[in-house]
Amino acid sequence: MPDLSIRPCAAALCLALPSCGIAQSLSDITPFDPEVMHRTASYCERHWNEIYDDPRLSELCVGSFVCGDGGCETGTVIAVVARSREDDMRALLAQLPVQDMAPCDPGDPYERQYVDPLGGDGAPFGFNGQTEKLEGREVVPYCGKTLPGYEADVVVALRQMGGDDIAAIRRGIGAGAMPAQLRLSAAQFAAIRDAGALPLRAPLVAALETATGLPCETTARQTCAVTAERGRLKARLLFPDGALTGRAGHWEEAYLELYPSNPSGDFYELSVDMPITAIRRWPGDRRKPVDGFQSLDRDAGFAAFRQGLMSAVSDALEDGRIGGE
């Protein structure tokens, strides 16, 4: 992925795409302008009951700012492009905050539903009739990931460039499937997203040190590594003697990811995922174990540990240390 400076990218897009302002149509939006995007998201939210019936509102809102009752999936973007415009789309993607975007893989259990977007009994999940303009043409479906928080911007940029030659969407998720989260203001969302999640590092490290009573550092006796990668703040943790949940005589392992998300309209969140929670009975004065861990799913101790970290980050949000206006 190219090294991107989002603000210069926005300026370039303003020259390449239609007018840079806010109005109630797709052509008048400026992607990567946080104020414009927020106002457009608010507009789509206010007109929720109309967006699936009004073609103009549908083009503006559906699959970009609104993805149904369950919200929009973080990071995922799908685009169906006319073969004649594929090179143009790839050139634009090279300027956008996209981690990877390639033709959808028929062998992937998730991507295969998009491999034949014009065939079958109807458009694949999420397109809501947007592929009808491509009927009868040779097309190529692309599946990919953006940096967290830039999903709507990327979809808008693709739709503006492609017109009738590209159908681009964010994928919706089922209601109730959201990870642990904190509510963000539009300013906080933009501050975290535009800085690649780095504003979260200091409060998270401070919270980890308070929770464990130990410096957040990686040594022969523990692992505490907090890094910002591709728009997400990642914490890799391994501590002895129950430092995370209080299980004496056990080493405890956890992995967390914090990232901004925009599940729907002008609703912004900080998602706090913890996909790894595991323990191993092992003396605390021995070398760090590297295997033999027992995975714990939906464990109350680790849930309480995450909640404590989230409370500390919430304090930093409330007192203006992150995205203060």
Side-chain angles (χ1 to χ4, degrees):
M1 191 189 78
D3 182 20
L4 290 165
S5 174
I6 298 304
R7 298 295 184 181
C9 180
L13 285 170
C14 284
L15 296 175
L17 299 173
S19 61
C20 291
I22 178 67
Q24 296 161 6
S25 65
L26 179 67
S27 62
D28 296 318
I29 304 175
T30 309
F32 307 105
D33 183 319
E35 180 181 355
V36 171
M37 294 295 285
H38 173 64
R39 289 165 58 189
T40 307
S42 298
Y43 176 79
C44 290
E45 194 73 27
R46 289 196 305 272
H47 292 272
W48 180 282
N49 293 331
E50 307 159 42
I51 59 177
Y52 294 99
D53 299 321
D54 183 328
R56 183 178 60 87
L57 279 174
S58 183
E59 178 189 46
L60 173 67
C61 301
V62 177
S64 51
F65 296 97
V66 172
C67 303
D69 293 337
C72 302
E73 189 174 86
T74 296
T76 304
V77 170
I78 312 295
V80 179
V81 59
R83 175 75 73 179
S84 60
R85 296 294 306 281
E86 184 180 9
D87 288 344
D88 294 336
M89 187 183 80
R90 290 176 66 90
L92 178 59
L93 288 172
Q95 304 175 52
L96 300 179
V98 174
Q99 289 191 41
D100 59 80
M101 193 106 177
C104 299
D105 180 2
D108 184 281
Y110 161 69
E111 295 185 6
R112 63 188 178 195
Q113 65 180 306
Y114 297 102
V115 168
D116 184 16
L118 305 183
D121 298 325
F125 179 64
F127 276 101
N128 295 296
Q130 294 181 45
T131 55
E132 291 179 1
K133 60 189 178 184
L134 292 162
E135 290 289 347
R137 305 171 67 181
E138 185 179 4
V139 299
V140 184
Y142 274 68
C143 297
K145 291 282 188 180
T146 72
L147 296 185
Y150 289 102
E151 301 88 354
D153 303 88
V154 169
V155 167
V156 167
L158 289 172
R159 288 182 180 180
Q160 287 182 339
M161 185 214 76
D164 289 340
D165 298 324
I166 292 178
I169 62 164
R170 303 168 65 187
R171 185 174 183 270
I173 57 178
M178 308 296 281
Q181 66 275 145
L182 295 169
R183 185 70 182 269
L184 297 176
S185 69
Q188 291 166 340
F189 170 80
I192 294 169
R193 183 196 69 175
D194 292 355
L198 273 174
L200 301 168
R201 190 179 188 281
L204 180 63
V205 168
L208 287 168
E209 293 181 341
T210 298
T212 63
L214 297 166
C216 183
E217 58 187 13
T218 297
T219 68
R221 295 292 311 278
Q222 67 180 49
T223 298
C224 185
V226 181
T227 57
E229 302 174 26
R230 295 183 177 272
R232 297 171 184 250
L233 192 70
K234 302 180 180 182
R236 297 168 177 83
L237 310 173
L238 178 60
F239 283 86
D241 290 331
L244 304 184
T245 74
R247 290 178 170 91
H250 290 79
W251 284 74
E252 298 177 321
E253 180 183 27
Y255 173 73
L256 296 99
E257 288 193 358
L258 288 72
Y259 53 91
S261 60
N262 171 212
S264 183
D266 57 352
F267 188 83
Y268 305 104
E269 295 176 336
L270 176 66
S271 293
V272 185
D273 292 352
M274 189 168 57
I276 297 175
T277 54
I279 61 172
R280 177 179 175 177
R281 184 180 293 278
W282 188 254
D285 58 356
R286 302 279 186 89
R287 59 177 174 80
K288 280 193 296 189
V290 295
D291 54 18
F293 284 87
Q294 174 189 356
S295 178
L296 299 179
D297 296 329
R298 297 177 294 278
D299 177 73
F302 278 104
F305 169 69
R306 176 171 64 174
Q307 187 58 48
L309 300 180
M310 291 173 66
S311 295
V313 173
S314 178
D315 290 343
L317 291 167
E318 291 177 4
D319 66 19
R321 282 178 281 158
I322 301 174
E325 299 182 70

